[in-house]
Amino acid sequence: MSGSIETQAAQDIYFNPWDENFRANPYPHYRPLLAGPPRIIDMGFKFVLAARYADVRAILMDHATFSSVQPAGMGFDEQTKVFGDAPTMLGSDPPTQTRLRRLVSRDFTPRRIRELEPRIREIAKNLIDAAERKGEFDVMADLANPLPVMVISDLLGVPHEEYRQFKHWSDKIIEADNTLPGMPIPDEIKSAFAELRAYFLAEIARRRKNPGTDLVSALVAAHDEAEALSADELLQFVVLLLLAGNETTTNLIGNGMLALGRNRASMAALQSKPDLMRGAIEEMLRYDGPVQSTFRTATRDTTVGGTPIASGMGVFVITAAANRDPAQFKDPEKFDITRTPNDHVAFGEGIHFCIGAPLARMEGAIAIGSALERFPHLRLKNPDAPVTYKGSYFLRGLSRLEMALK
């Protein structure tokens, strides 16, 4: 499949999420998109590419016109089938989305996040200790992969010692993004999803007999007491929390450490002034965010940024491009941990703004801050070597990131 387009005089546009080279560095391909109105491209199905900050924000704020429900017949039916029929918080509109979000919101209040901080620091310390003893540091394997999945495991009340199994399932399921539209999902991805669902079905049954104070027990109670959650919704909810709750934070830590490794002055500034970390996390999210794009479907004929969009047309809402829009950010290609203001859209906008954003920010700050504090001579082990990314365009994350400790 070619992503080269000759629609609306857009010969300069190349957009192909299934091209490994495109995924490795999509940012140069965003620049032409930022220079004009949303483009309509034909990839077997017609899609809109919305990249400019104003256009992206307008779409994300208008959930009535741009639905989060994945319609059939758009090339992604196989992916949707793997995830089941029950709605999720990410893939639904009000009132369903409102009901589902309300059920989980109690575990993502500012107070609840603050209560998690000592545990997150303990996990980070243990992981850094292990890397120090080993004398080698792969940011992904040693810190970015295990920490978020251990934290979300604690929230869900499942043993974090099983994080490797959770991470295996998570990585496999995320690879579904790399399946070409209209093509079947590989069996190993289907198997991973089936195993994950089976695991949580057993956990749900256990909580029904012996409820605890964890989030799964609370959701089981919501299902049993008021039918606020159907059985399928309950299962989908838990699976989504595991996937979304660990993958994005993993990528924030990895992409952020890579940016620091390539900008040694910023790393040195953070090591000498740890109070710069809050702004640094925001810049990591803007500069190379863990989520490149989200997807919406037009519910009616409309216009965005001067481009007519027909009802039923799918829209790639490219938040990572919006975060490098020169109309919104001065010197957008520059990594600047003191950038202010920094009104990025890395966590989305509107009713689907990431409910876990405060937790992700805290985990990122603790993980990266712990590494910088423990390893004062931290640097990229092979600064000129190409880095490898996992097989998903939507969720941008490194496979490995080796750093030298001395």
Side-chain angles (χ1 to χ4, degrees):
M1 176 188 300
S2 171
S4 297
I5 314 303
E6 290 195 20
T7 304
Q8 294 189 353
Q11 294 92 333
D12 57 340
I13 301 299
Y14 183 80
F15 181 85
N16 187 350
W18 300 278
D19 174 355
E20 189 175 343
N21 292 321
F22 175 87
R23 288 201 309 272
N25 187 13
Y27 294 105
H29 300 292
Y30 293 158
R31 287 175 202 140
L33 291 173
L34 291 167
R39 312 298 210 281
I40 296 175
I41 65 171
D42 194 333
M43 303 166 81
F45 301 86
K46 286 193 174 181
F47 296 110
V48 181
L49 303 180
R52 296 184 301 188
Y53 184 92
D55 298 334
V56 162
R57 198 170 181 280
I59 291 169
L60 293 177
M61 293 297 289
D62 187 358
H63 62 268
T65 304
F66 294 97
S67 170
S68 296
V69 177
Q70 183 67 64
M74 210 172 265
F76 302 115
D77 294 356
E78 281 288 318
Q79 285 94 324
T80 305
K81 204 183 301 176
V82 169
F83 284 86
D85 296 326
T88 66
M89 197 164 56
L90 287 180
S92 60
D93 298 326
T96 301
Q97 186 267 352
T98 312
R99 173 174 61 87
L100 293 176
R101 189 174 175 112
R102 189 185 302 123
L103 283 168
V104 78
S105 61
R106 74 169 192 102
D107 270 81
F108 291 91
T109 61
R111 178 182 173 183
R112 180 68 175 118
I113 301 305
R114 282 195 303 273
E115 290 171 352
L116 291 172
E117 182 174 355
R119 177 67 179 137
I120 297 170
R121 290 195 180 280
E122 178 188 2
I123 293 171
K125 179 185 180 301
N126 292 340
L127 293 171
I128 296 289
D129 284 349
E132 188 173 36
R133 285 194 299 270
K134 192 172 58 170
E136 297 177 348
F137 189 34
D138 175 352
V139 171
M140 304 311 296
D142 298 333
L143 181 63
N145 286 343
L147 184 140
V149 78
M150 286 178 173
V151 173
I152 207 72
S153 296
D154 279 357
L155 266 178
L156 294 174
V158 295
H160 74 246
E161 292 81 6
E162 297 180 25
Y163 81 87
R164 285 188 179 85
Q165 181 62 70
F166 291 143
K167 197 64 188 170
H168 167 75
W169 286 330
S170 178
D171 287 348
K172 279 293 165 200
I173 293 165
I174 295 302
E175 283 179 21
D177 283 348
N178 203 28
T179 303
L180 290 165
M183 297 299 287
I185 298 291
D187 287 342
E188 60 183 9
I189 295 175
K190 292 181 181 177
S191 296
F193 198 81
E195 289 167 14
L196 180 57
R197 285 172 65 95
Y199 178 90
F200 277 116
L201 275 172
E203 287 294 319
I204 288 166
R206 185 138 38 109
R207 294 311 193 293
R208 196 159 267 131
K209 291 179 181 174
N210 297 296
T213 58
D214 57 88
L215 183 52
V216 174
S217 296
L219 293 174
V220 167
H223 165 64
D224 290 349
E225 290 168 14
E227 285 299 317
L229 210 55
S230 74
D232 280 349
E233 285 174 346
L234 170 58
L235 185 58
Q236 290 284 67
F237 219 122
V238 174
V239 169
L240 175 67
L241 280 171
L242 179 66
L243 297 179
N246 88 78
E247 195 66 31
T248 50
T249 309
T250 286
N251 295 347
L252 163 59
I253 296 167
N255 298 355
M257 289 293 281
L258 176 62
L260 289 176
R262 288 174 169 173
N263 295 270
R264 298 292 299 280
S266 296
M267 185 185 287
L270 265 180
Q271 286 173 317
S272 63
K273 294 183 179 177
D275 59 344
L276 292 175
M277 182 60 77
R278 181 181 295 228
I281 291 291
E282 299 310 308
E283 181 66 349
M284 292 168 194
L285 288 161
R286 183 202 71 83
Y287 182 75
D288 192 14
V291 178
Q292 287 287 298
S293 177
T294 186
F295 196 82
R296 296 289 188 269
T297 305
T299 59
R300 60 179 178 85
D301 291 350
T302 188
T303 301
V304 173
T307 298
I309 299 174
S311 177
M313 195 173 279
V315 185
F316 285 92
V317 189
I318 312 173
T319 51
N323 285 337
R324 297 217 186 176
D325 187 347
Q328 179 69 23
F329 301 97
K330 183 182 177 183
D331 297 327
E333 304 295 324
K334 181 183 178 185
F335 181 71
D336 178 6
I337 63 172
T338 63
R339 182 183 297 275
T340 183
N342 195 349
D343 298 321
H344 61 76
V345 286
F347 285 124
E349 195 62 272
I351 63 166
H352 284 280
F353 183 84
C354 176
I355 198 168
L359 179 58
R361 285 176 163 122
M362 177 183 285
E363 288 182 49
I366 290 172
I368 293 171
S370 298
L372 297 184
E373 182 182 10
R374 183 72 63 87
F375 306 128
H377 304 294
L378 194 62
R379 56 187 170 80
L380 293 177
K381 191 171 184 179
N382 302 299
D384 299 323
V387 291
T388 56
Y389 287 86
K390 290 176 282 193
S392 168
Y393 161 70
F394 290 96
L395 297 172
R396 178 173 173 79
L398 295 157
S399 299
R400 302 176 58 82
L401 181 60
E402 293 185 337
M403 299 193 83
L405 305 181
K406 296 178 181 178

